[in-house]
Amino acid sequence: MWSGGRLNCQYSPGMSEGTVMAQALYFTFVLSCLICGSYGLVSSGNGTTTVRSVDYNTTRAVTPTERRDSTTKLNTTQSNKSTNAPAVKLTSTTTSKVLTTTTRPPKTTTTANYSFNTEDLNEGIDKKVEKRVWNKEPEDEPLEFECPPLGLESLRVKDTQLRASSYKRRGLGPHRGRLNIQSGIEDGDIYDGAWCAQYEDKKQWLEVDARRPTRFTGVILQGRSSIWSWDFILTYKVQFSNDTLVWQPAMNGTKEAVFEGNQDTETPVLALFNESATVARYIRINPQSWYENGTICLRAEVLGCTLPDPNNIYAWQQTEQGTQDKLDFRHHNYKEMRKLMKSVTEACPDITHIYSIGKSHMGLKMYVMEISDHPGKHELGEPEFRYVAGMHGNEALGRELLLNLMQYICQEYKLGNQRIVRLVKETRIHLLPSMNPDGYEMAFKKGSELAGWALGRYSYQGIDMNHNFADLNKVMWDAIEFDFQNNDKSKLINHYIPIPEYYTSEDAFVALETRAVINWMQNIPFVLSANLHGGELVVTYPFDRTEDWAPHDDTPTPDNSFFRWLATVYASTNQVMSNPDRRPCHNENFQRYNNIINGANWHTVQGSMNDFSYLHTNCFDVTVELSCDKFPHASELPIEWENNKESLLIYMEQVHRGLKGVIRDKDTEAGIADAIIKVDDIDHHIRSVADGDYWRLLNPGEYEVTVSAEGYNPSTRMCRVMYEHYPTICDFRLTKTPKQRLKEILAKGGKLPKDLQLRLRQLRLRKLRASTKAINSRRAAASRKARGS
């Protein structure tokens, strides 16, 4: 028997996150019985985080200063941490320039420097880290294929190109025989997890039509994705044909080759053909033996180089659509990512700044590329935007898209592209291409086609970071329940919800990478963000967690209409999502919802970054599922860039939709930090930052806006949001309360001004009249009572 090389991936067999989260606890028990290896939403043995009760006597909105203090506590609780995120240097002087109420305000440089220290990428990687992460063994490098995948996993191969000898039912038809395809949760689901033959004999086959003459070089096989069945192929043969009538078998010398298949349902196994591989149009996979307690089921990918057809005079029409942009389209490991980011900042030093927000468990730095016309500092009135990719290390497309995006912005800015120039001058952009660098390196070493569905998803500690942020939804909903039971609205909070104490304790199961991102979120006043994932084609918006722990239920935020707008902006401009003829990726048809969905209505997620961002900071955050294929082959990257380029740009531009302004002291013109901005009829407030500037994302309309700050009288005005690209300027000037003015004057040892003396005299007289009236009322009541007795 001759077999191709078999690569053994060791990881917890995974399924789509929607599949996992939609199941009740009963399914966890079933999974533990059916699937070898560990399984969990936060996969690290039996380590879980327990949600404890909250003391409502201390529950209130937290100020930015308190949030920065809590960051220090977060960063010092775990003894096994590799590093702390660098401290943020803030200054607090004032500026004399005031934003006007025009539609396009003049630029003013702020005095609050929300920034992290610059990283020098000329420095080498720490030798201890290098030794820990990269061994010098040959198997640490991903296997390079002679020919790329045809595209069963990426859906480049259409359903009509797949045929089979037989199949059990529609949900197990040949169109489901794609590498890494994920099943639905129901037994008998129409979206099942493999092609399964109707008959159990050696005459069954799965056929792929390449549509062009192709030099086939190999096959990758996988078992069935299912929580109900355990099916995989042990051995198989391969045949080739040009007309589906005459078939030529793959040979091993003078004998027909028999290839080794799988030993479990999830690990992809590669078989390479010998050097005299056949050129043909069709290829068949013909199972010869299978798991004894299962049946004939498989998922597959085919490797092959398509050749020009000499008989086709219209061959030029078959050229794959790519992109005209000259970018570095390949997968970049940590070292190559550093080189690329360094090359971008060298090409555009005036608009770029590289910094690190912390280190991973293995010591890899979490680099961020900042792009702005004044990199390294916050500008008054200029919003802060962020893209985060690689939260799940094996979802690699987001990482490459952000590396492409920083190259593209640099190139187009230098060419004078006015759209890009305006974006750079009016926005401070932060790109974090790899939130989970340890997980990515694990998946990268196996390669895009052999990493499977879950290898590299979790952190090195086994933590799923998409479930690892503080669960502030519970704090908010518990406070609402407390108010309902006690009729006490003083404990209600709807923004800047503090992190519960249990989350900052030493034994809290919080990844170092999560802590670093929280520190980053607390120290830069982000307005808008998107979290780039992979494995589906949909945009989700908060809330991500259901209130009653239902597997899925629509759970909107007070800003639901704007979140739906944000999701629609990305989905409607994405070339694949907006294609009405596309097929579903795995087990959900999101086209029914126009490719957007409330996160909790898809599947409930406790501790998501999106919910945390909305409830703990001013920032609105959505999740973008970029592609059916989590780790697409490098040959797919130019097409994926073209699919997402416009979406990435137009989504960033949404940071300029709504209201913005500066809240100042009417007497001194100094900016007022921590002022609360309340929009009538929207039960979610935001706060001003260090110099008093604020940004409130809103859809077009007229809004009643009230601003309040400690020591100041509230101020209310009507602000109208227009449809233009630029936000409406809505500034506020607050007057101090008499009590606050008195405090400040007495603190300085000064004399009271006449207007304040008059005001205090009026207050005393009013208080005296009120107390006299109350005394007289009591005396009159007592007199009437005495006469009545």
Side-chain angles (χ1 to χ4, degrees):
M1 181 183 294
W2 182 85
S3 64
R6 182 177 184 274
L7 296 181
N8 200 3
C9 306
Q10 297 179 354
Y11 59 90
S12 304
M15 54 192 71
S16 70
E17 193 171 323
T19 300
V20 172
M21 293 304 297
Q23 299 169 51
L25 291 176
Y26 170 76
F27 286 93
T28 305
F29 173 76
V30 174
L31 279 167
S32 65
C33 297
L34 294 177
I35 300 178
C36 296
S38 61
Y39 166 80
L41 300 181
V42 180
S43 177
S44 181
N46 58 2
T48 55
T49 302
T50 303
V51 179
R52 302 178 188 172
S53 60
V54 179
D55 183 357
Y56 295 105
N57 293 323
T58 60
T59 301
R60 58 181 175 80
V62 64
T63 67
T65 302
E66 291 172 319
R67 288 189 294 122
R68 287 192 288 272
D69 292 342
S70 71
T71 302
T72 304
K73 189 172 183 181
L74 266 175
N75 285 336
T76 56
T77 52
Q78 278 194 331
S79 59
N80 66 337
K81 59 184 294 182
S82 302
T83 182
N84 288 333
V88 177
K89 298 180 180 179
L90 296 176
T91 56
S92 56
T93 55
T94 60
T95 177
S96 59
K97 292 194 176 182
V98 181
L99 283 176
T100 63
T101 56
T102 60
T103 58
R104 192 172 183 177
K107 293 292 289 292
T108 305
T109 303
T110 185
T111 53
N113 184 19
Y114 293 98
S115 65
F116 286 73
N117 295 330
T118 302
E119 281 292 326
D120 183 6
L121 295 187
N122 289 313
E123 295 181 359
I125 301 171
D126 185 277
K127 295 298 182 184
K128 293 181 179 178
V129 173
E130 193 166 18
K131 185 176 180 181
R132 241 185 347 252
V133 179
W134 301 282
N135 299 320
K136 299 301 181 181
E137 301 298 327
E139 57 266 25
D140 284 338
E141 292 298 323
L143 182 65
E144 293 188 8
F145 301 139
E146 181 182 0
C147 290
L150 294 188
L152 275 77
E153 181 177 11
S154 68
L155 303 186
R156 189 190 298 194
V157 172
K158 307 303 181 185
D159 287 352
T160 54
Q161 294 175 249
L162 301 173
R163 288 200 314 147
S165 54
S166 65
Y167 53 91
K168 284 190 171 183
R169 49 184 169 79
R170 174 63 181 168
L172 294 169
H175 65 295
R176 303 298 294 175
R178 300 172 180 272
L179 188 71
N180 285 321
I181 203 165
Q182 300 297 296
S183 68
I185 63 171
E186 302 293 336
D187 189 17
D189 202 298
I190 62 169
Y191 299 112
D192 219 316
W195 161 67
C196 291
Q198 182 178 2
Y199 309 106
E200 294 187 19
D201 59 47
K202 296 183 179 182
K203 297 180 180 180
Q204 304 305 306
W205 44 261
L206 176 68
E207 178 184 295
V208 181
D209 177 5
R211 288 187 173 173
R212 293 168 60 180
T214 301
R215 183 165 64 88
F216 295 108
T217 59
V219 166
I220 301 171
L221 224 59
Q222 202 175 28
R224 178 182 176 183
S225 167
S226 174
I227 63 171
W228 304 99
S229 303
W230 185 256
D231 303 308
F232 51 88
I233 301 302
L234 296 174
T235 61
Y236 62 98
K237 295 179 179 180
V238 175
Q239 293 97 33
F240 310 99
S241 176
N242 287 315
D243 56 11
T244 71
L245 299 176
V246 179
W247 290 90
Q248 175 68 36
M251 301 298 291
N252 179 24
T254 59
K255 296 181 180 180
E256 187 173 356
V258 179
F259 299 92
E260 184 179 343
N262 302 96
Q263 297 299 317
D264 59 54
T265 60
E266 289 296 327
T267 305
V269 176
L270 168 68
L272 296 175
F273 306 147
N274 59 29
E275 295 181 359
S276 59
T278 304
V279 173
R281 173 174 168 173
Y282 302 92
I283 182 172
R284 278 182 179 177
I285 301 170
N286 173 212
Q288 296 297 296
S289 62
W290 44 93
Y291 178 57
E292 61 181 353
N293 293 325
T295 188
I296 299 175
C297 294
L298 64 85
R299 293 176 284 170
E301 182 61 86
V302 176
L303 308 179
C305 298
T306 55
L307 305 177
D309 185 353
N311 299 318
N312 185 2
I313 62 174
Y314 302 106
W316 58 273
Q317 293 181 341
Q318 296 177 327
T319 303
E320 289 289 350
Q321 182 181 1
T323 178
Q324 300 298 316
D325 298 322
K326 307 299 182 184
L327 307 176
D328 188 3
F329 294 116
R330 59 193 174 98
H331 287 292
H332 299 78
N333 65 5
Y334 181 77
K335 296 177 182 178
E336 295 299 324
M337 182 183 74
R338 280 169 45 99
K339 291 178 183 178
L340 186 146
M341 295 178 74
K342 180 174 179 288
S343 70
V344 172
T345 198
E346 287 174 347
C348 295
D350 295 335
I351 63 168
T352 59
H353 166 226
I354 298 175
Y355 63 92
S356 169
I357 62 172
K359 292 182 181 179
S360 69
H361 181 83
M362 295 293 285
L364 302 180
K365 291 186 178 181
M366 300 167 67
Y367 291 113
V368 176
M369 172 69 77
E370 177 194 338
I371 303 175
S372 169
D373 60 338
H374 292 91
K377 55 188 174 184
H378 175 74
E379 296 179 78
L380 190 70
E382 184 171 282
E384 310 261 358
F385 177 92
R386 72 169 183 258
Y387 271 131
V388 176
M391 171 182 276
H392 294 144
N394 63 331
E395 295 171 13
L397 179 57
R399 175 192 183 103
E400 297 308 323
L401 287 178
L402 292 192
L403 295 178
N404 293 152
L405 181 62
M406 60 182 72
Q407 295 175 79
Y408 178 80
I409 292 176
C410 173
Q411 292 176 9
E412 294 300 306
Y413 184 86
K414 292 169 71 175
L415 292 173
N417 181 326
Q418 287 305 298
R419 181 186 189 184
I420 300 302
V421 170
R422 183 173 65 244
L423 189 63
V424 171
K425 288 187 174 181
E426 297 177 357
T427 320
R428 191 181 181 203
I429 303 165
H430 305 258
L431 307 178
L432 173 61
S434 187
M435 181 177 167
N436 181 6
D438 294 350
Y440 176 82
E441 292 300 319
M442 284 190 282
F444 177 81
K445 289 175 183 177
K446 288 296 182 184
S448 60
E449 309 309 308
L450 298 176
W453 187 251
L455 179 66
R457 173 186 176 90
Y458 307 104
S459 73
Y460 186 85
Q461 298 167 287
I463 298 173
D464 186 338
M465 285 182 264
N466 200 36
H467 303 258
N468 197 224
F469 287 78
D471 183 9
L472 302 184
N473 305 62
K474 175 177 170 56
V475 178
M476 177 183 66
W477 289 327
D478 284 354
I480 293 172
E481 181 67 21
F482 180 86
D483 162 61
F484 178 78
Q485 294 177 357
N486 298 275
N487 196 26
D488 180 6
K489 295 185 180 297
S490 64
K491 308 303 179 186
L492 287 180
I493 48 177
N494 66 14
H495 73 295
Y496 278 39
I497 298 176
I499 297 174
E501 184 177 350
Y502 74 83
Y503 190 84
T504 63
S505 65
E506 289 188 10
D507 58 351
F509 199 52
V510 183
L512 297 177
E513 297 87 345
T514 307
R515 296 174 186 271
V517 169
I518 290 175
N519 178 60
W520 185 40
M521 295 164 70
Q522 290 176 328
N523 284 298
I524 293 182
F526 293 113
V527 178
L528 180 61
S529 173
N531 184 12
L532 306 184
H533 285 246
E536 256 301 347
L537 279 167
V538 68
V539 183
T540 73
Y541 52 90
F543 286 122
D544 289 333
R545 185 199 146 175
T546 57
E547 186 172 356
D548 58 359
W549 293 104
H552 56 87
D553 187 31
D554 189 32
T555 312
T557 68
D559 287 283
N560 190 57
S561 63
F562 192 80
F563 272 118
R564 287 182 60 83
W565 166 258
L566 290 174
T568 300
V569 163
Y570 199 102
S572 63
T573 55
N574 180 280
Q575 292 187 12
V576 180
M577 290 189 202
S578 59
N579 180 2
D581 297 324
R582 77 172 181 90
R583 57 152 284 170
C585 289
H586 297 284
N587 49 52
E588 295 272 2
N589 184 6
F590 290 109
Q591 287 181 295
R592 295 180 298 167
Y593 314 110
N594 294 318
N595 304 297
I596 69 170
I597 192 170
N598 173 259
N601 202 24
W602 181 15
H603 57 270
T604 187
V605 175
Q606 177 187 4
S608 78
M609 185 167 75
N610 293 356
D611 288 2
F612 179 87
S613 180
Y614 181 69
L615 295 175
H616 188 63
T617 75
N618 288 337
C619 186
F620 287 28
D621 207 339
V622 304
T623 291
V624 182
E625 299 283 351
L626 295 163
S627 171
C628 301
D629 190 348
K630 287 185 175 184
F631 203 142
H633 189 267
S635 61
E636 304 275 358
L637 295 179
I639 300 171
E640 293 291 2
W641 164 251
E642 204 60 35
N643 289 340
N644 288 276
K645 178 173 69 173
E646 177 61 23
S647 305
L648 291 167
L649 294 174
I650 199 169
Y651 184 84
M652 284 193 286
E653 292 169 343
Q654 303 314 301
V655 76
H656 297 284
R657 182 177 289 273
L659 300 175
K660 65 182 284 187
V662 181
I663 301 166
R664 299 184 184 276
D665 186 299
K666 187 175 181 180
D667 298 325
T668 66
E669 289 295 317
I672 301 173
D674 298 342
I676 298 174
I677 297 92
K678 175 184 177 181
V679 178
D680 194 37
D681 295 330
I682 299 180
D683 189 21
H684 181 79
H685 310 334
I686 63 164
R687 296 200 181 197
S688 60
V689 297
D691 288 316
D693 44 346
Y694 78 93
W695 306 264
R696 184 53 167 102
L697 299 176
L698 292 166
N699 283 323
E702 192 165 357
Y703 300 92
E704 181 181 292
V705 182
T706 301
V707 172
S708 60
E710 187 175 354
Y712 290 87
N713 294 310
S715 175
T716 300
R717 60 177 291 191
M718 298 301 295
C719 302
R720 177 174 292 178
V721 176
M722 309 300 288
Y723 285 89
E724 284 79 4
H725 167 73
Y726 300 103
T728 298
I729 309 304
C730 202
D731 293 328
F732 289 83
R733 284 170 175 76
L734 305 185
T735 57
K736 289 188 177 73
T737 62
K739 183 178 180 181
Q740 181 65 23
R741 293 178 64 192
L742 178 61
K743 277 184 181 180
E744 293 177 1
I745 291 170
L746 295 178
K748 296 177 181 178
K751 293 181 62 177
L752 296 180
K754 290 184 178 180
D755 66 324
L756 188 56
Q757 292 179 24
L758 179 61
R759 177 65 174 159
L760 289 173
R761 190 177 296 116
Q762 292 173 341
L763 289 173
R764 291 193 191 101
L765 288 173
R766 186 183 302 170
K767 186 175 181 180
L768 179 62
R769 292 192 194 102
S771 60
T772 302
K773 184 177 180 180
I775 292 171
N776 290 337
S777 296
R778 287 197 296 271
R779 286 175 177 174
S783 177
R784 287 193 298 271
K785 186 177 181 181
R787 287 196 299 270
S789 61

